[in-house]
Amino acid sequence: MKKYVVTAAGVAVVSVLLLSCTVRQKSEFSRTVTVTGSGAVSVLPDSAAIDLSVVTRNISVTEATTENAQLMTQVQEALLEAGIPKTSLSTHNYRIYQESSYVNGKNIPGEYRVSNMLSVVVSDVTSVGSIIDTAITAGANELSSLDFTVSDTSDAVREARVLAVQQAQEAARLLAGTGGAKLGKLISITEENYNQPLSVSNQKLMAVDTAAATPVIAGKSNITVTVRAVFELQ
C-alpha cells in the first residue's frame, strides 16, 4: 500500500495555487460599465473688454507722436465722460516704427507709424456699442478685439456638474438594462473637461462711418462639464 506524505511546504504551495485561482476567477467575473456624461448651462456675459487704438502716420516722427497723443487724450476724456471709470482704462501697447518700401533694389524709408492701444473694461454689456462709437468719434481708428466674459461662474459650474453626473448615471443604467444586468455601485468618477464661457469677436475698424450706431450683441455662452464614470454591474 502506497503512502503519500504531504509536507508543510507542499501544503503552502497548494494553498497559494488555490488562492491564485480564486483571485483570478473573481477578477475574470468582475463586470463594469464605463460611460461619459456632459452637462451644459447657458449664462449671459456681464462684462466686456475692448481693445482699441489710435494710429497715426507722418513723415516726421515728432508730428506723428504729437498727433497720436492729442487723439488718445480726446478718446480717454470722451470715455470718462461716457461713464467709464479711470480704473477701467489702461494702455495695453504703444508702438512706433518707420514704414518702408523696396523699390529697384533699394529700401526707401517711408512714414512713421505710431500706434497706441487702450484697453477698456465695460461692466454694462448693453453699452458696448455706444462705447465703441464714442471712442471712434473721439479719434480711435482701430479696434483689435472685443471679448465678453462672465465674472462669476461658480453656480453655473455646479449645475453643469450635477447635470453631467446625472447623464452619466442614465447612460450607465440604460446600457446595463439593455445588456441584461443591473447597475451596481459607482466605482470611480473623473471630471475630464471644463469649458469656461468666452464669446470673442475680433474685427478691424478703419475709416468707420460713425453716423450709424454700432450694433453689438453679447449673446449667451455655455459652461460645459464632462465626466467619466465607472459603475459596477450586478
Side-chain angles (χ1 to χ4, degrees):
M1 182 177 181
K2 294 183 180 179
K3 295 183 179 180
Y4 296 91
V5 179
V6 180
T7 63
V11 173
V13 171
V14 173
S15 299
V16 170
L17 290 175
L18 289 175
L19 179 60
S20 176
C21 291
T22 303
V23 172
R24 187 179 299 112
Q25 186 179 28
K26 184 176 181 181
S27 63
E28 288 175 354
F29 287 93
S30 177
R31 300 188 303 169
T32 61
V33 58
T34 303
V35 294
T36 59
S38 296
V41 177
S42 296
V43 292
L44 284 172
D46 56 10
S47 62
I50 309 169
D51 284 342
L52 50 87
S53 302
V54 170
V55 179
T56 54
R57 289 181 174 84
N58 198 292
I59 196 64
S60 167
V61 64
T62 301
E63 293 185 11
T65 55
T66 299
E67 181 187 4
N68 193 287
Q70 292 174 345
L71 290 174
M72 180 53 76
T73 299
Q74 293 176 190
V75 171
Q76 294 180 4
E77 291 177 348
L79 291 174
L80 292 173
E81 291 178 2
I84 301 296
K86 192 172 183 178
T87 54
S88 296
L89 303 177
S90 61
T91 299
H92 187 66
N93 189 21
Y94 186 86
R95 188 181 181 194
I96 302 174
Y97 74 92
Q98 187 175 23
E99 298 175 334
S100 61
S101 57
Y102 196 72
V103 180
N104 297 327
K106 294 183 180 181
N107 189 35
I108 309 299
E111 294 181 320
Y112 286 92
R113 184 182 189 273
V114 181
S115 176
N116 189 355
M117 180 179 290
L118 182 69
S119 294
V120 185
V121 178
V122 182
S123 58
D124 179 11
V125 294
T126 62
S127 65
V128 170
S130 63
I131 293 300
I132 292 175
D133 292 338
T134 297
I136 293 174
T137 301
N141 53 6
E142 184 174 302
L143 189 146
S144 302
S145 66
L146 169 60
D147 301 340
F148 292 100
T149 58
V150 181
S151 57
D152 184 7
T153 61
S154 56
D155 290 340
V157 170
R158 187 180 300 107
E159 184 179 351
R161 283 173 174 153
V162 171
L163 293 174
V165 173
Q166 289 176 345
Q167 188 185 81
Q169 289 174 329
E170 292 174 2
R173 190 174 293 108
L174 176 62
L175 291 175
T178 304
K182 291 184 179 180
L183 191 65
K185 65 182 180 180
L186 175 65
I187 297 176
S188 68
I189 186 167
T190 306
E191 184 174 295
E192 291 192 329
N193 191 23
Y194 164 48
N195 294 329
Q196 281 276 12
L198 180 63
S199 175
V200 183
S201 173
N202 294 321
Q203 55 183 313
K204 294 285 185 179
L205 298 180
M206 300 295 292
V208 178
D209 180 6
T210 59
T214 300
V216 175
I217 301 177
K220 289 184 178 181
S221 298
N222 285 336
I223 293 179
T224 304
V225 174
T226 302
V227 298
R228 175 187 175 90
V230 180
F231 292 87
E232 186 180 62
L233 289 178
Q234 297 177 347

